[in-house]
């Protein structure tokens, strides 16, 4: 008579002991970069492992340079994530930078139609598998005008992300806002350190120099990841409690 109880306990223990996975889907601002020991560029999800106890959670960064919601789906990258999802896994969702590409039919999405519906698909299909989606707005570009005012570049994409989060009751982290504050706090010159600004011959990876106000340096990626972590700590949805417990103290 005790065998069913023991068997049940073993199953329960196995489920409890199973590590959850954080899947991160998005574009180059999140993605792992090639030649990490040489390349000064980092995606903010590339540095996420340093904030988590990897005995409690696995981080699987599926973000890829240049992808929009459309191309991520069309290339079956989302299908691959969906097929891997198990109950209790998390999916960090952040797109927009490449959905804006109006001259590229393979990536462009209308923010109020296709982009919105693609986000809804990521959310509903994550939940179908017992996963927990978290929506993020795109990080801000370093786009100061001559008067030193930071000008937004993402149009209605962050708004639609917010609206989907509200309608479907998804945890939402407004990284556009927090990274705007970050850029402004650093000012026109110091904010260059958050990105890829190198003079001719200054860095061996970019011998011809580099001026990139979208992608992140190690400093920038770490700062954005820190912002994301602080926001995660403040989420009140109980579905995120397991994620919080996996954070390093």
């Amino acid at each position: 008579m005790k065998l069913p109880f023991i068997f049940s306990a073993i199953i329960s223990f196995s489920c409890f002991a199973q590590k959850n996975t954080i899947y991160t889907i998005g574009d180059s601002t999140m993605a792992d970069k090639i030649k990490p020991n040489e390349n000064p560029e980092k995606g903010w999800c590339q540095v996420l492992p340093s904030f988590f106890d990897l005995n409690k959670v696995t981080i699987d960064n599926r973000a890829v340079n240049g992808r929009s919601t459309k191309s991520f789906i069309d290339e079956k990258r989302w299908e691959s994530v969906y097929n891997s999802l198990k109950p209790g896994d998390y999916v960090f969702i952040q797109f927009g930078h490449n959905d804006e590409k109006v001259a590229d039919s393979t990536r462009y999405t209308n923010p109020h139609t296709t982009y919105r519906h693609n986000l809804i698909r990521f959310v509903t299909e994550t939940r179908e598998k017992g996963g927990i989606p978290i929506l993020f707005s795109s990080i801000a570009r370093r786009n100061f005008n001559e008067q030193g005012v930071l000008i937004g570049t993402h149009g209605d994409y962050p708004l639609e992300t917010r609206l989907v989060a509200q309608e479907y009751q998804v945890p939402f982290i407004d990284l556009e806002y927090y990274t705007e504050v970050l850029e402004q706090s650093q000012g026109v010159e110091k904010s260059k350190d958050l990105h890829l600004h190198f003079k001719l011959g200054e860095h061996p990876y970019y011998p011809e120099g580099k001026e990139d106000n979208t992608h992140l340096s190690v400093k920038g990626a770490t700062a954005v990841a820190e912002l994301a972590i602080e926001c995660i700590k403040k989420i009140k949805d109980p579905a995120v409690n397991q994620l919080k417990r996996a954070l390093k103290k």
Side-chain angles (χ1 to χ4, degrees), residues 169-188:
Q169 298 183 324
V170 181
F172 171 68
I173 294 177
D174 194 357
L175 273 189
E176 184 188 38
Y177 167 71
Y178 290 109
T179 53
E180 281 181 358
V181 173
L182 174 64
E183 299 280 355
Q184 291 166 336
S185 71
Q186 297 297 299
V188 174

Side-chain angles (χ1 to χ4, degrees), residues 87-220:
D89 286 343
Y90 293 86
V91 182
F92 290 6
I93 304 162
Q94 184 190 64
F95 289 94
H97 274 91
N98 297 300
D99 287 82
E100 304 166 14
K101 307 291 187 182
V102 294
D104 187 345
S105 62
T106 66
R107 293 189 288 177
Y108 174 72
T109 62
N110 182 317
H112 306 298
T113 56
T114 306
Y115 177 74
R116 168 183 167 78
H117 284 277
N118 287 344
L119 291 184
I120 292 169
R121 176 177 175 180
F122 295 147
V123 167
T124 56
E125 292 188 357
T126 296
R127 286 173 168 169
E128 281 176 11
K129 299 294 287 287
I132 301 98
I134 300 179
L135 285 166
F136 296 76
S137 56
S138 298
I139 66 170
R141 290 187 174 94
R142 180 186 169 277
N143 184 44
F144 289 95
N145 66 13
E146 292 180 358
Q147 289 73 40
V149 176
L150 188 70
I151 306 299
T153 66
H154 297 313
D156 287 340
Y157 292 91
L159 171 63
E160 282 297 344
T161 307
R162 181 189 295 276
L163 292 174
V164 169
Q166 289 176 347
E167 183 176 347
Y168 286 81
Q169 298 183 324
V170 181
F172 171 68
I173 294 177
D174 194 357
L175 273 189
E176 184 188 38
Y177 167 71
Y178 290 109
T179 53
E180 281 181 358
V181 173
L182 174 64
E183 299 280 355
Q184 291 166 336
S185 71
Q186 297 297 299
V188 174
E189 288 303 315
K190 287 186 66 178
S191 59
K192 291 178 181 178
D193 294 340
L194 301 172
H195 299 278
L196 305 172
H197 280 253
F198 300 105
K199 297 176 182 177
L200 180 69
E202 183 179 356
H203 197 286
Y205 199 80
Y206 296 113
E208 302 301 318
K210 184 77 171 177
E211 185 172 325
D212 182 337
N213 295 308
T214 296
H215 300 100
L216 300 166
S217 63
V218 174
K219 179 179 179 179

Side-chain angles (χ1 to χ4, degrees), residues 90 132 232-233 235-247:
Y90 293 86
I132 301 98
I232 288 168
K233 291 177 181 177
I235 295 174
K236 296 180 180 179
D237 189 331
V240 183
N241 287 346
Q242 192 68 25
L243 182 65
K244 293 180 183 179
R245 285 192 282 270
L247 290 169

